[in-house]
Amino acid sequence: AGWPYVRAAVCGVERARLCGADGAVAEGHVAVRYVAVPPDASGRVCLRLKRNLALELCSVSGTDAILFCDDDDWRSADAAQAQLDALARTGADACSVQVRCVCELSASRGGASYFEMPAAGGGGVFSAELGNPGTALLLRKTWAPGSDDPPGFPDTPYEDVDFMKLLLSDAPVLPQRGGPPLRHALLDGAELERQSRSPTLMTVRLDGCEHEWSTFPQLRRLGHEPDAAPPPWLPAADAAFYAQHARAIASLPPSEHPTTALPA
């Protein structure tokens, strides 16, 4: 669902500027490395494994920061820079993004609908404090504190949320980390307004297919109603992509709909 972001990510990172303590700006080219993670006996690849492998690869390479981009999220071309700017402004160690819109790709209707979320609070669906931690930008000190056993994403159903809670906990759950508690910044409506930016994140979900996440019934129970028109900040080409993708799913027989179900 996040395929348009492949183009946006390269474009955005090329323009991203990392400022040092002296205010100097370093700009560089983008190198893409694809790492294929083998599936387990069920045919699935563990998401926790992929996230922890990314942390390990960044630790070995000496990377100063890591940004996670889930494949079911749309990210704007300036999304990475917006999170970098939030860290620079607040002095935080980690930055996640509040979801401003949920896109519903309907297999039954063959169209895309959009649930716009409030500028703050997560609309009762997403964490008011953490937003969507799957989008986290983390500085190196959060995952490589100089320990022989650095923290990683836990083996839980919501590994991204639980990992962020571990990092930010006041309790001594990570005794190997010394120094002051880690600080978190949330890229929500207020921060976007400070930066004079449009929303940078939209979560995309399938409806009418067998899927693990029941987002849409929850949205409707909370009184959120969808709009057939895309939000004005979504590029027309990306809105057309999602509309075409929904029509393509609807044209398939139900047996060929996307699914997260394990084979019988």
Side-chain angles (χ1 to χ4, degrees):
W3 297 326
Y5 182 63
V6 174
R7 178 180 65 250
V10 174
C11 179
V13 175
E14 282 180 335
R15 292 199 299 265
R17 298 179 300 172
L18 289 171
C19 299
D22 59 354
V25 175
E27 295 184 327
H29 298 287
V30 174
V32 177
R33 178 185 180 188
Y34 177 79
V35 179
V37 182
D40 59 21
S42 72
R44 286 180 167 181
V45 175
C46 174
L47 184 55
R48 169 180 169 268
L49 171 62
K50 290 194 288 185
R51 293 190 189 278
N52 284 330
L53 178 59
L55 292 179
E56 180 65 23
L57 290 173
C58 287
S59 296
V60 173
S61 65
T63 301
D64 293 325
I66 184 171
L67 174 62
F68 290 94
C69 303
D70 286 358
D71 63 357
D72 55 356
D73 291 335
W74 172 90
R75 305 291 302 276
S76 65
D78 63 343
Q81 188 62 58
Q83 286 179 264
L84 287 169
D85 289 350
L87 288 185
R89 187 188 70 80
T90 62
D93 309 295
C95 177
S96 55
V97 185
Q98 186 57 272
V99 178
R100 294 298 305 278
C101 185
V102 179
C103 176
E104 173 188 52
L105 301 181
S106 174
S108 59
R109 293 183 296 98
S113 298
Y114 299 87
F115 294 82
E116 288 217 55
M117 309 300 290
V125 180
F126 302 96
S127 169
E129 295 79 22
L130 301 178
N132 179 0
T135 64
L137 170 65
L138 306 173
L139 297 185
R140 183 178 179 85
K141 64 183 292 187
T142 64
W143 82 86
S147 167
D148 293 333
D149 185 25
F153 287 85
D155 189 12
T156 63
Y158 301 100
E159 82 292 332
D160 52 351
V161 176
D162 293 333
F163 179 61
M164 189 67 73
K165 288 180 177 178
L166 284 173
L167 293 180
L168 302 176
S169 174
D170 291 331
V173 291
L174 298 176
Q176 70 270 37
R177 175 179 286 111
L182 297 177
R183 296 179 58 192
H184 171 258
L186 181 63
L187 185 63
D188 58 3
E191 180 62 28
L192 289 170
E193 186 174 354
R194 291 187 192 98
Q195 298 186 22
S196 299
R197 296 184 190 272
S198 297
T200 62
L201 172 69
M202 178 177 72
T203 291
V204 183
R205 293 285 188 261
L206 299 174
D207 182 48
C209 302
E210 188 172 357
H211 204 268
E212 290 180 345
W213 294 282
S214 56
T215 306
F216 302 114
Q218 184 180 6
L219 284 167
R220 290 184 168 91
R221 283 196 303 271
L222 293 169
H224 299 290
E225 294 297 330
D227 193 334
W233 40 263
L234 184 67
D238 291 348
F241 168 86
Y242 288 120
Q244 181 183 17
H245 192 46
R247 290 193 298 270
I249 295 173
S251 69
L252 298 172
S255 61
E256 297 181 21
H257 282 175
T259 177
T260 58
L262 294 173

